[in-house]
Amino acid sequence: SAEARSIKAWLSLWQFTKQKESRSMNTKVVTPKVVDVPEQKLPEELSGSVGIILVDAEHGPFHGRVAVLTLVEGGPAELDGRIHPGDLISRVDGRDVRDWGLESIRLLVHGRVNTVCMLEFERPGGITYSVTLRRTSRKAVEKHEHDLEQQLRAAQSELVTESILHDVAEIRANIEEQDLARLRHDLSAARMEKEKLQISHRKEVAELKAKQADVAEELRRIEHELHLTRKELADERSLRTEAERELQQSRQQLQQSRWHPGSALHGVQI
């Protein structure tokens, strides 16, 4: 927008002023001169520029020199990328313009659309460089700015889409992590429950084995007592049988002694 360009221009001018102040104060002051440069009368659609806004260095050691204030967005100079605000213009198409005025340089730089212009600049620190730029119309610059704006919007849309996809991926990752954590927690709880059941089972098995051992011992004791009882019963039966046999013999002897013929006993009549 125009407001953004104005702000950028003021910032560039501030940067240029700071650069001037940092230069050596012993540099020779150049008084600009007016050079008669014929102005090309071209229709607007054929009049081209390189997209540089120049300014007179009104103060400091470079008073009278022409410097770069800012670059037109989307213009050839900005697209080239080597020109910086504060650089001093020294040559145009091989002509030394270090002592030229601003208007003379402007007329020399402007020309027909699609023609080339070679510019030489000086930068603090003794840096000198040259660029070759193709003149373009303002409409072309505006179209380029429009295309850049469309590209910027598309890029912003892609960034928003990527951001949304990234957020969705993070949400999915968080959900998966939460699910995984929940599953791990459930698995840990299940393992603990399994261990408790195993401990309880082992305890119950040990108690059952102890009861089984007690029952087995009790059965052995009962069997032993039963064996002794059976033996006692057998002994009693044997004794009873012997006693019955002796009793039977005694009865038989008694009968024989009472009723045997020729017995020595005689009855007495009274």
Side-chain angles (χ1 to χ4, degrees):
S1 65
E3 184 180 0
R5 293 192 186 98
S6 177
I7 294 173
K8 184 176 181 180
W10 280 108
L11 290 174
S12 299
L13 181 59
W14 176 82
Q15 181 182 12
F16 170 68
T17 303
K18 291 297 183 182
Q19 288 176 347
K20 289 192 302 180
E21 292 175 354
S22 65
R23 296 186 178 112
S24 172
M25 298 300 296
N26 297 323
T27 304
K28 181 181 179 181
V29 176
V30 178
T31 302
K33 66 180 180 179
V34 178
V35 180
D36 186 12
V37 178
E39 184 176 1
Q40 302 183 49
K41 301 294 183 179
L42 296 172
E44 183 180 356
E45 63 272 11
L46 296 180
S47 178
S49 69
V50 294
I52 302 175
I53 298 176
L54 300 174
V55 66
D56 282 323
E58 297 178 354
H59 304 285
F62 292 106
H63 173 68
R65 293 293 301 273
V66 176
V68 177
L69 174 63
T70 186
L71 305 176
V72 177
E73 293 185 8
E78 185 189 50
L79 296 177
D80 181 80
R82 288 176 287 177
I83 304 172
H84 295 168
D87 291 350
L88 300 171
I89 187 167
S90 57
R91 290 182 179 276
V92 178
D93 290 330
R95 300 180 66 175
D96 189 346
V97 297
R98 286 177 290 184
D99 58 349
W100 285 29
L102 178 61
E103 183 63 19
S104 299
I105 294 176
R106 184 190 70 81
L107 292 175
L108 187 60
V109 172
H110 280 196
R112 183 177 290 272
V113 173
N114 289 329
T115 58
V116 295
C117 177
M118 188 180 71
L119 304 175
E120 184 176 298
F121 294 91
E122 298 174 6
R123 185 173 297 167
I127 300 174
T128 302
Y129 65 94
S130 300
V131 295
T132 301
L133 305 175
R134 184 174 294 276
R135 297 181 178 93
T136 184
S137 66
R138 182 59 191 168
K139 291 183 178 180
V141 173
E142 290 176 353
K143 182 179 182 302
H144 182 72
E145 289 179 350
H146 177 73
D147 293 341
L148 287 178
E149 186 176 355
Q150 294 296 325
Q151 293 175 7
L152 178 60
R153 289 179 180 177
Q156 289 175 343
S157 177
E158 290 180 0
L159 288 175
V160 170
T161 302
E162 290 179 359
S163 177
I164 292 174
L165 293 176
H166 178 70
D167 293 342
V168 170
E170 285 188 348
I171 292 173
R172 287 180 177 174
N174 290 335
I175 292 175
E176 291 176 357
E177 186 65 25
Q178 291 175 2
D179 290 342
L180 183 59
R182 180 177 54 81
L183 290 175
R184 287 175 177 171
H185 178 269
D186 293 344
L187 179 60
S188 177
R191 286 177 175 173
M192 292 178 63
E193 187 66 22
K194 180 182 177 182
E195 290 179 357
K196 289 180 180 179
L197 291 175
Q198 288 177 343
I199 293 173
S200 176
H201 177 70
R202 287 194 292 267
K203 184 177 179 181
E204 291 178 357
V205 170
E207 290 177 354
L208 290 174
K209 287 183 177 180
K211 291 180 178 180
Q212 185 179 9
D214 293 341
V215 170
E217 182 66 23
E218 184 69 17
L219 286 176
R220 285 193 294 270
R221 186 183 63 78
I222 293 173
E223 288 179 353
H224 180 68
E225 291 180 355
L226 180 60
H227 174 73
L228 294 177
T229 302
R230 287 175 177 174
K231 185 177 180 182
E232 290 176 356
L233 288 175
D235 293 341
E236 289 180 359
R237 286 174 183 172
S238 177
L239 292 173
R240 181 177 179 181
T241 302
E242 182 64 24
E244 289 178 350
R245 186 178 61 80
E246 291 178 354
L247 178 60
Q248 184 65 27
Q249 288 178 355
S250 299
R251 287 177 179 175
Q252 289 178 357
Q253 290 177 359
L254 180 59
Q255 286 179 356
Q256 288 177 1
S257 62
R258 287 181 180 178
W259 305 103
H260 189 272
S263 175
L265 296 178
H266 298 280
V268 177
Q269 184 176 358
I270 59 172

PDB file of all heavy atoms in Angstrom, residues 143-176:
ATOM      1  N   LYS A 143       1.422  -4.625 -12.198  1.00  0.00           N
ATOM      2  CA  LYS A 143       1.011  -6.014 -12.478  1.00  0.00           C
ATOM      3  C   LYS A 143       1.874  -6.995 -11.691  1.00  0.00           C
ATOM      4  O   LYS A 143       1.373  -7.979 -11.134  1.00  0.00           O
ATOM      5  CB  LYS A 143       1.125  -6.314 -13.971  1.00  0.00           C
ATOM      6  CG  LYS A 143       0.680  -7.727 -14.345  1.00  0.00           C
ATOM      7  CD  LYS A 143       0.795  -7.950 -15.836  1.00  0.00           C
ATOM      8  CE  LYS A 143       0.295  -9.359 -16.198  1.00  0.00           C
ATOM      9  NZ  LYS A 143       1.023 -10.421 -15.517  1.00  0.00           N
ATOM     10  N   HIS A 144       3.183  -6.675 -11.638  1.00  0.00           N
ATOM     11  CA  HIS A 144       4.068  -7.560 -10.868  1.00  0.00           C
ATOM     12  C   HIS A 144       3.696  -7.538  -9.391  1.00  0.00           C
ATOM     13  O   HIS A 144       3.691  -8.580  -8.725  1.00  0.00           O
ATOM     14  CB  HIS A 144       5.521  -7.128 -11.061  1.00  0.00           C
ATOM     15  CG  HIS A 144       6.505  -7.991 -10.349  1.00  0.00           C
ATOM     16  ND1 HIS A 144       6.814  -9.272 -10.760  1.00  0.00           N
ATOM     17  CD2 HIS A 144       7.241  -7.770  -9.228  1.00  0.00           C
ATOM     18  CE1 HIS A 144       7.691  -9.804  -9.941  1.00  0.00           C
ATOM     19  NE2 HIS A 144       7.977  -8.915  -9.000  1.00  0.00           N
ATOM     20  N   GLU A 145       3.396  -6.302  -8.888  1.00  0.00           N
ATOM     21  CA  GLU A 145       2.968  -6.204  -7.499  1.00  0.00           C
ATOM     22  C   GLU A 145       1.689  -6.995  -7.272  1.00  0.00           C
ATOM     23  O   GLU A 145       1.538  -7.673  -6.239  1.00  0.00           O
ATOM     24  CB  GLU A 145       2.743  -4.732  -7.118  1.00  0.00           C
ATOM     25  CG  GLU A 145       4.022  -3.930  -7.001  1.00  0.00           C
ATOM     26  CD  GLU A 145       3.737  -2.486  -6.643  1.00  0.00           C
ATOM     27  OE1 GLU A 145       2.545  -2.094  -6.678  1.00  0.00           O
ATOM     28  OE2 GLU A 145       4.678  -1.749  -6.327  1.00  0.00           O
ATOM     29  N   HIS A 146       0.756  -6.906  -8.228  1.00  0.00           N
ATOM     30  CA  HIS A 146      -0.489  -7.674  -8.115  1.00  0.00           C
ATOM     31  C   HIS A 146      -0.201  -9.177  -8.110  1.00  0.00           C
ATOM     32  O   HIS A 146      -0.768  -9.924  -7.298  1.00  0.00           O
ATOM     33  CB  HIS A 146      -1.424  -7.310  -9.269  1.00  0.00           C
ATOM     34  CG  HIS A 146      -2.694  -8.101  -9.284  1.00  0.00           C
ATOM     35  ND1 HIS A 146      -3.723  -7.902  -8.386  1.00  0.00           N
ATOM     36  CD2 HIS A 146      -3.102  -9.136 -10.090  1.00  0.00           C
ATOM     37  CE1 HIS A 146      -4.706  -8.754  -8.625  1.00  0.00           C
ATOM     38  NE2 HIS A 146      -4.362  -9.506  -9.657  1.00  0.00           N
ATOM     39  N   ASP A 147       0.700  -9.588  -9.021  1.00  0.00           N
ATOM     40  CA  ASP A 147       1.048 -11.019  -9.064  1.00  0.00           C
ATOM     41  C   ASP A 147       1.711 -11.453  -7.764  1.00  0.00           C
ATOM     42  O   ASP A 147       1.421 -12.541  -7.233  1.00  0.00           O
ATOM     43  CB  ASP A 147       1.987 -11.292 -10.244  1.00  0.00           C
ATOM     44  CG  ASP A 147       1.300 -11.084 -11.588  1.00  0.00           C
ATOM     45  OD1 ASP A 147       0.050 -11.087 -11.616  1.00  0.00           O
ATOM     46  OD2 ASP A 147       2.012 -10.912 -12.589  1.00  0.00           O
ATOM     47  N   LEU A 148       2.611 -10.573  -7.239  1.00  0.00           N
ATOM     48  CA  LEU A 148       3.260 -10.915  -5.978  1.00  0.00           C
ATOM     49  C   LEU A 148       2.253 -10.994  -4.837  1.00  0.00           C
ATOM     50  O   LEU A 148       2.343 -11.865  -3.967  1.00  0.00           O
ATOM     51  CB  LEU A 148       4.328  -9.866  -5.645  1.00  0.00           C
ATOM     52  CG  LEU A 148       5.605  -9.903  -6.491  1.00  0.00           C
ATOM     53  CD1 LEU A 148       6.534  -8.774  -6.068  1.00  0.00           C
ATOM     54  CD2 LEU A 148       6.317 -11.240  -6.359  1.00  0.00           C
ATOM     55  N   GLU A 149       1.261 -10.071  -4.889  1.00  0.00           N
ATOM     56  CA  GLU A 149       0.234 -10.089  -3.850  1.00  0.00           C
ATOM     57  C   GLU A 149      -0.587 -11.370  -3.918  1.00  0.00           C
ATOM     58  O   GLU A 149      -0.894 -11.983  -2.889  1.00  0.00           O
ATOM     59  CB  GLU A 149      -0.678  -8.876  -4.015  1.00  0.00           C
ATOM     60  CG  GLU A 149      -1.708  -8.726  -2.898  1.00  0.00           C
ATOM     61  CD  GLU A 149      -2.526  -7.467  -3.040  1.00  0.00           C
ATOM     62  OE1 GLU A 149      -2.231  -6.663  -3.947  1.00  0.00           O
ATOM     63  OE2 GLU A 149      -3.464  -7.290  -2.237  1.00  0.00           O
ATOM     64  N   GLN A 150      -0.914 -11.774  -5.162  1.00  0.00           N
ATOM     65  CA  GLN A 150      -1.643 -13.030  -5.329  1.00  0.00           C
ATOM     66  C   GLN A 150      -0.810 -14.216  -4.840  1.00  0.00           C
ATOM     67  O   GLN A 150      -1.323 -15.123  -4.174  1.00  0.00           O
ATOM     68  CB  GLN A 150      -2.025 -13.223  -6.807  1.00  0.00           C
ATOM     69  CG  GLN A 150      -3.015 -12.201  -7.337  1.00  0.00           C
ATOM     70  CD  GLN A 150      -4.365 -12.298  -6.632  1.00  0.00           C
ATOM     71  OE1 GLN A 150      -4.818 -13.385  -6.273  1.00  0.00           O
ATOM     72  NE2 GLN A 150      -4.991 -11.148  -6.424  1.00  0.00           N
ATOM     73  N   GLN A 151       0.490 -14.175  -5.191  1.00  0.00           N
ATOM     74  CA  GLN A 151       1.366 -15.257  -4.734  1.00  0.00           C
ATOM     75  C   GLN A 151       1.468 -15.261  -3.219  1.00  0.00           C
ATOM     76  O   GLN A 151       1.502 -16.319  -2.583  1.00  0.00           O
ATOM     77  CB  GLN A 151       2.747 -15.111  -5.364  1.00  0.00           C
ATOM     78  CG  GLN A 151       2.763 -15.321  -6.877  1.00  0.00           C
ATOM     79  CD  GLN A 151       4.133 -15.058  -7.465  1.00  0.00           C
ATOM     80  OE1 GLN A 151       5.108 -14.847  -6.747  1.00  0.00           O
ATOM     81  NE2 GLN A 151       4.215 -15.049  -8.791  1.00  0.00           N
ATOM     82  N   LEU A 152       1.535 -14.014  -2.654  1.00  0.00           N
ATOM     83  CA  LEU A 152       1.614 -13.926  -1.203  1.00  0.00           C
ATOM     84  C   LEU A 152       0.358 -14.488  -0.553  1.00  0.00           C
ATOM     85  O   LEU A 152       0.431 -15.225   0.438  1.00  0.00           O
ATOM     86  CB  LEU A 152       1.818 -12.471  -0.786  1.00  0.00           C
ATOM     87  CG  LEU A 152       1.879 -12.199   0.724  1.00  0.00           C
ATOM     88  CD1 LEU A 152       3.031 -12.971   1.353  1.00  0.00           C
ATOM     89  CD2 LEU A 152       2.007 -10.715   0.994  1.00  0.00           C
ATOM     90  N   ARG A 153      -0.802 -14.129  -1.115  1.00  0.00           N
ATOM     91  CA  ARG A 153      -2.052 -14.662  -0.573  1.00  0.00           C
ATOM     92  C   ARG A 153      -2.103 -16.181  -0.700  1.00  0.00           C
ATOM     93  O   ARG A 153      -2.540 -16.874   0.228  1.00  0.00           O
ATOM     94  CB  ARG A 153      -3.235 -14.039  -1.302  1.00  0.00           C
ATOM     95  CG  ARG A 153      -3.460 -12.566  -0.962  1.00  0.00           C
ATOM     96  CD  ARG A 153      -4.636 -12.010  -1.731  1.00  0.00           C
ATOM     97  NE  ARG A 153      -4.862 -10.594  -1.412  1.00  0.00           N
ATOM     98  CZ  ARG A 153      -5.794  -9.848  -1.994  1.00  0.00           C
ATOM     99  NH1 ARG A 153      -6.584 -10.380  -2.934  1.00  0.00           N
ATOM    100  NH2 ARG A 153      -5.928  -8.578  -1.653  1.00  0.00           N
ATOM    101  N   ALA A 154      -1.646 -16.677  -1.870  1.00  0.00           N
ATOM    102  CA  ALA A 154      -1.628 -18.129  -2.051  1.00  0.00           C
ATOM    103  C   ALA A 154      -0.682 -18.779  -1.052  1.00  0.00           C
ATOM    104  O   ALA A 154      -1.001 -19.819  -0.452  1.00  0.00           O
ATOM    105  CB  ALA A 154      -1.218 -18.475  -3.485  1.00  0.00           C
ATOM    106  N   ALA A 155       0.498 -18.128  -0.868  1.00  0.00           N
ATOM    107  CA  ALA A 155       1.459 -18.682   0.094  1.00  0.00           C
ATOM    108  C   ALA A 155       0.895 -18.647   1.506  1.00  0.00           C
ATOM    109  O   ALA A 155       1.053 -19.593   2.280  1.00  0.00           O
ATOM    110  CB  ALA A 155       2.771 -17.900   0.027  1.00  0.00           C
ATOM    111  N   GLN A 156       0.214 -17.512   1.837  1.00  0.00           N
ATOM    112  CA  GLN A 156      -0.405 -17.420   3.158  1.00  0.00           C
ATOM    113  C   GLN A 156      -1.478 -18.482   3.325  1.00  0.00           C
ATOM    114  O   GLN A 156      -1.605 -19.092   4.395  1.00  0.00           O
ATOM    115  CB  GLN A 156      -0.998 -16.024   3.354  1.00  0.00           C
ATOM    116  CG  GLN A 156       0.045 -14.938   3.523  1.00  0.00           C
ATOM    117  CD  GLN A 156      -0.571 -13.557   3.605  1.00  0.00           C
ATOM    118  OE1 GLN A 156      -1.725 -13.364   3.238  1.00  0.00           O
ATOM    119  NE2 GLN A 156       0.199 -12.587   4.083  1.00  0.00           N
ATOM    120  N   SER A 157      -2.255 -18.701   2.238  1.00  0.00           N
ATOM    121  CA  SER A 157      -3.285 -19.741   2.297  1.00  0.00           C
ATOM    122  C   SER A 157      -2.658 -21.112   2.498  1.00  0.00           C
ATOM    123  O   SER A 157      -3.141 -21.929   3.299  1.00  0.00           O
ATOM    124  CB  SER A 157      -4.109 -19.722   1.006  1.00  0.00           C
ATOM    125  OG  SER A 157      -5.064 -20.763   1.004  1.00  0.00           O
ATOM    126  N   GLU A 158      -1.525 -21.347   1.784  1.00  0.00           N
ATOM    127  CA  GLU A 158      -0.833 -22.624   1.948  1.00  0.00           C
ATOM    128  C   GLU A 158      -0.279 -22.750   3.366  1.00  0.00           C
ATOM    129  O   GLU A 158      -0.329 -23.830   3.969  1.00  0.00           O
ATOM    130  CB  GLU A 158       0.300 -22.728   0.934  1.00  0.00           C
ATOM    131  CG  GLU A 158      -0.180 -22.898  -0.508  1.00  0.00           C
ATOM    132  CD  GLU A 158       0.980 -22.994  -1.473  1.00  0.00           C
ATOM    133  OE1 GLU A 158       2.143 -22.931  -1.017  1.00  0.00           O
ATOM    134  OE2 GLU A 158       0.726 -23.138  -2.685  1.00  0.00           O
ATOM    135  N   LEU A 159       0.253 -21.604   3.878  1.00  0.00           N
ATOM    136  CA  LEU A 159       0.774 -21.647   5.248  1.00  0.00           C
ATOM    137  C   LEU A 159      -0.330 -21.931   6.245  1.00  0.00           C
ATOM    138  O   LEU A 159      -0.147 -22.701   7.192  1.00  0.00           O
ATOM    139  CB  LEU A 159       1.452 -20.317   5.586  1.00  0.00           C
ATOM    140  CG  LEU A 159       2.796 -20.054   4.902  1.00  0.00           C
ATOM    141  CD1 LEU A 159       3.286 -18.657   5.224  1.00  0.00           C
ATOM    142  CD2 LEU A 159       3.832 -21.093   5.322  1.00  0.00           C
ATOM    143  N   VAL A 160      -1.515 -21.283   5.999  1.00  0.00           N
ATOM    144  CA  VAL A 160      -2.647 -21.543   6.888  1.00  0.00           C
ATOM    145  C   VAL A 160      -3.060 -23.007   6.793  1.00  0.00           C
ATOM    146  O   VAL A 160      -3.314 -23.670   7.813  1.00  0.00           O
ATOM    147  CB  VAL A 160      -3.832 -20.620   6.530  1.00  0.00           C
ATOM    148  CG1 VAL A 160      -5.087 -21.042   7.283  1.00  0.00           C
ATOM    149  CG2 VAL A 160      -3.485 -19.183   6.852  1.00  0.00           C
ATOM    150  N   THR A 161      -3.102 -23.514   5.544  1.00  0.00           N
ATOM    151  CA  THR A 161      -3.464 -24.930   5.360  1.00  0.00           C
ATOM    152  C   THR A 161      -2.447 -25.834   6.039  1.00  0.00           C
ATOM    153  O   THR A 161      -2.811 -26.788   6.737  1.00  0.00           O
ATOM    154  CB  THR A 161      -3.536 -25.256   3.862  1.00  0.00           C
ATOM    155  OG1 THR A 161      -4.486 -24.385   3.243  1.00  0.00           O
ATOM    156  CG2 THR A 161      -3.959 -26.701   3.654  1.00  0.00           C
ATOM    157  N   GLU A 162      -1.146 -25.507   5.823  1.00  0.00           N
ATOM    158  CA  GLU A 162      -0.110 -26.309   6.469  1.00  0.00           C
ATOM    159  C   GLU A 162      -0.219 -26.214   7.986  1.00  0.00           C
ATOM    160  O   GLU A 162      -0.014 -27.209   8.697  1.00  0.00           O
ATOM    161  CB  GLU A 162       1.268 -25.846   6.001  1.00  0.00           C
ATOM    162  CG  GLU A 162       1.569 -26.180   4.547  1.00  0.00           C
ATOM    163  CD  GLU A 162       2.943 -25.682   4.132  1.00  0.00           C
ATOM    164  OE1 GLU A 162       3.612 -25.067   4.983  1.00  0.00           O
ATOM    165  OE2 GLU A 162       3.319 -25.909   2.974  1.00  0.00           O
ATOM    166  N   SER A 163      -0.525 -24.986   8.460  1.00  0.00           N
ATOM    167  CA  SER A 163      -0.675 -24.818   9.907  1.00  0.00           C
ATOM    168  C   SER A 163      -1.836 -25.646  10.434  1.00  0.00           C
ATOM    169  O   SER A 163      -1.729 -26.303  11.481  1.00  0.00           O
ATOM    170  CB  SER A 163      -0.891 -23.343  10.237  1.00  0.00           C
ATOM    171  OG  SER A 163      -1.106 -23.160  11.606  1.00  0.00           O
ATOM    172  N   ILE A 164      -2.953 -25.626   9.674  1.00  0.00           N
ATOM    173  CA  ILE A 164      -4.108 -26.423  10.090  1.00  0.00           C
ATOM    174  C   ILE A 164      -3.752 -27.902  10.078  1.00  0.00           C
ATOM    175  O   ILE A 164      -4.065 -28.641  11.027  1.00  0.00           O
ATOM    176  CB  ILE A 164      -5.304 -26.138   9.168  1.00  0.00           C
ATOM    177  CG1 ILE A 164      -5.795 -24.693   9.379  1.00  0.00           C
ATOM    178  CG2 ILE A 164      -6.441 -27.117   9.426  1.00  0.00           C
ATOM    179  CD1 ILE A 164      -6.870 -24.265   8.419  1.00  0.00           C
ATOM    180  N   LEU A 165      -3.096 -28.333   8.987  1.00  0.00           N
ATOM    181  CA  LEU A 165      -2.704 -29.745   8.903  1.00  0.00           C
ATOM    182  C   LEU A 165      -1.741 -30.104  10.033  1.00  0.00           C
ATOM    183  O   LEU A 165      -1.827 -31.199  10.609  1.00  0.00           O
ATOM    184  CB  LEU A 165      -2.058 -30.025   7.543  1.00  0.00           C
ATOM    185  CG  LEU A 165      -2.985 -29.926   6.331  1.00  0.00           C
ATOM    186  CD1 LEU A 165      -2.194 -30.128   5.038  1.00  0.00           C
ATOM    187  CD2 LEU A 165      -4.120 -30.955   6.412  1.00  0.00           C
ATOM    188  N   HIS A 166      -0.828 -29.149  10.326  1.00  0.00           N
ATOM    189  CA  HIS A 166       0.114 -29.395  11.419  1.00  0.00           C
ATOM    190  C   HIS A 166      -0.628 -29.514  12.750  1.00  0.00           C
ATOM    191  O   HIS A 166      -0.330 -30.402  13.559  1.00  0.00           O
ATOM    192  CB  HIS A 166       1.130 -28.257  11.483  1.00  0.00           C
ATOM    193  CG  HIS A 166       2.115 -28.389  12.599  1.00  0.00           C
ATOM    194  ND1 HIS A 166       3.104 -29.346  12.623  1.00  0.00           N
ATOM    195  CD2 HIS A 166       2.253 -27.689  13.758  1.00  0.00           C
ATOM    196  CE1 HIS A 166       3.809 -29.234  13.724  1.00  0.00           C
ATOM    197  NE2 HIS A 166       3.324 -28.230  14.429  1.00  0.00           N
ATOM    198  N   ASP A 167      -1.606 -28.598  12.943  1.00  0.00           N
ATOM    199  CA  ASP A 167      -2.392 -28.659  14.180  1.00  0.00           C
ATOM    200  C   ASP A 167      -3.175 -29.961  14.261  1.00  0.00           C
ATOM    201  O   ASP A 167      -3.258 -30.583  15.332  1.00  0.00           O
ATOM    202  CB  ASP A 167      -3.352 -27.469  14.254  1.00  0.00           C
ATOM    203  CG  ASP A 167      -2.614 -26.148  14.419  1.00  0.00           C
ATOM    204  OD1 ASP A 167      -1.429 -26.185  14.813  1.00  0.00           O
ATOM    205  OD2 ASP A 167      -3.209 -25.097  14.141  1.00  0.00           O
ATOM    206  N   VAL A 168      -3.764 -30.362  13.114  1.00  0.00           N
ATOM    207  CA  VAL A 168      -4.514 -31.625  13.090  1.00  0.00           C
ATOM    208  C   VAL A 168      -3.586 -32.797  13.405  1.00  0.00           C
ATOM    209  O   VAL A 168      -3.944 -33.704  14.171  1.00  0.00           O
ATOM    210  CB  VAL A 168      -5.188 -31.816  11.715  1.00  0.00           C
ATOM    211  CG1 VAL A 168      -5.765 -33.219  11.593  1.00  0.00           C
ATOM    212  CG2 VAL A 168      -6.294 -30.782  11.520  1.00  0.00           C
ATOM    213  N   ALA A 169      -2.383 -32.746  12.809  1.00  0.00           N
ATOM    214  CA  ALA A 169      -1.420 -33.820  13.084  1.00  0.00           C
ATOM    215  C   ALA A 169      -1.039 -33.844  14.564  1.00  0.00           C
ATOM    216  O   ALA A 169      -0.917 -34.918  15.164  1.00  0.00           O
ATOM    217  CB  ALA A 169      -0.167 -33.631  12.216  1.00  0.00           C
ATOM    218  N   GLU A 170      -0.840 -32.636  15.141  1.00  0.00           N
ATOM    219  CA  GLU A 170      -0.512 -32.578  16.573  1.00  0.00           C
ATOM    220  C   GLU A 170      -1.662 -33.104  17.417  1.00  0.00           C
ATOM    221  O   GLU A 170      -1.440 -33.840  18.390  1.00  0.00           O
ATOM    222  CB  GLU A 170      -0.194 -31.133  16.971  1.00  0.00           C
ATOM    223  CG  GLU A 170       1.175 -30.649  16.511  1.00  0.00           C
ATOM    224  CD  GLU A 170       1.509 -29.295  17.085  1.00  0.00           C
ATOM    225  OE1 GLU A 170       0.594 -28.653  17.643  1.00  0.00           O
ATOM    226  OE2 GLU A 170       2.675 -28.869  16.974  1.00  0.00           O
ATOM    227  N   ILE A 171      -2.898 -32.727  17.025  1.00  0.00           N
ATOM    228  CA  ILE A 171      -4.065 -33.217  17.772  1.00  0.00           C
ATOM    229  C   ILE A 171      -4.137 -34.735  17.679  1.00  0.00           C
ATOM    230  O   ILE A 171      -4.375 -35.431  18.678  1.00  0.00           O
ATOM    231  CB  ILE A 171      -5.347 -32.572  17.232  1.00  0.00           C
ATOM    232  CG1 ILE A 171      -5.355 -31.065  17.560  1.00  0.00           C
ATOM    233  CG2 ILE A 171      -6.580 -33.243  17.824  1.00  0.00           C
ATOM    234  CD1 ILE A 171      -6.484 -30.311  16.919  1.00  0.00           C
ATOM    235  N   ARG A 172      -3.937 -35.240  16.449  1.00  0.00           N
ATOM    236  CA  ARG A 172      -3.961 -36.705  16.286  1.00  0.00           C
ATOM    237  C   ARG A 172      -2.862 -37.358  17.102  1.00  0.00           C
ATOM    238  O   ARG A 172      -3.083 -38.393  17.734  1.00  0.00           O
ATOM    239  CB  ARG A 172      -3.798 -37.050  14.802  1.00  0.00           C
ATOM    240  CG  ARG A 172      -5.032 -36.754  13.957  1.00  0.00           C
ATOM    241  CD  ARG A 172      -4.803 -37.119  12.513  1.00  0.00           C
ATOM    242  NE  ARG A 172      -5.989 -36.918  11.707  1.00  0.00           N
ATOM    243  CZ  ARG A 172      -6.036 -37.058  10.384  1.00  0.00           C
ATOM    244  NH1 ARG A 172      -4.934 -37.399   9.719  1.00  0.00           N
ATOM    245  NH2 ARG A 172      -7.156 -36.853   9.731  1.00  0.00           N
ATOM    246  N   ALA A 173      -1.674 -36.730  17.054  1.00  0.00           N
ATOM    247  CA  ALA A 173      -0.560 -37.294  17.828  1.00  0.00           C
ATOM    248  C   ALA A 173      -0.879 -37.268  19.316  1.00  0.00           C
ATOM    249  O   ALA A 173      -0.594 -38.231  20.035  1.00  0.00           O
ATOM    250  CB  ALA A 173       0.721 -36.505  17.532  1.00  0.00           C
ATOM    251  N   ASN A 174      -1.492 -36.140  19.767  1.00  0.00           N
ATOM    252  CA  ASN A 174      -1.854 -36.055  21.180  1.00  0.00           C
ATOM    253  C   ASN A 174      -2.900 -37.100  21.536  1.00  0.00           C
ATOM    254  O   ASN A 174      -2.824 -37.741  22.591  1.00  0.00           O
ATOM    255  CB  ASN A 174      -2.389 -34.657  21.494  1.00  0.00           C
ATOM    256  CG  ASN A 174      -1.297 -33.600  21.440  1.00  0.00           C
ATOM    257  OD1 ASN A 174      -0.121 -33.918  21.631  1.00  0.00           O
ATOM    258  ND2 ASN A 174      -1.671 -32.373  21.168  1.00  0.00           N
ATOM    259  N   ILE A 175      -3.895 -37.262  20.621  1.00  0.00           N
ATOM    260  CA  ILE A 175      -4.936 -38.264  20.875  1.00  0.00           C
ATOM    261  C   ILE A 175      -4.321 -39.658  20.902  1.00  0.00           C
ATOM    262  O   ILE A 175      -4.614 -40.480  21.780  1.00  0.00           O
ATOM    263  CB  ILE A 175      -6.037 -38.167  19.811  1.00  0.00           C
ATOM    264  CG1 ILE A 175      -6.804 -36.843  19.969  1.00  0.00           C
ATOM    265  CG2 ILE A 175      -6.998 -39.343  19.922  1.00  0.00           C
ATOM    266  CD1 ILE A 175      -7.825 -36.602  18.888  1.00  0.00           C
ATOM    267  N   GLU A 176      -3.457 -39.919  19.912  1.00  0.00           N
ATOM    268  CA  GLU A 176      -2.805 -41.231  19.877  1.00  0.00           C
ATOM    269  C   GLU A 176      -1.944 -41.436  21.116  1.00  0.00           C
ATOM    270  O   GLU A 176      -1.911 -42.531  21.681  1.00  0.00           O
ATOM    271  CB  GLU A 176      -1.964 -41.342  18.607  1.00  0.00           C
ATOM    272  CG  GLU A 176      -2.796 -41.422  17.320  1.00  0.00           C
ATOM    273  CD  GLU A 176      -1.930 -41.429  16.085  1.00  0.00           C
ATOM    274  OE1 GLU A 176      -0.692 -41.317  16.241  1.00  0.00           O
ATOM    275  OE2 GLU A 176      -2.480 -41.545  14.980  1.00  0.00           O
TER     276      GLU A 176
END
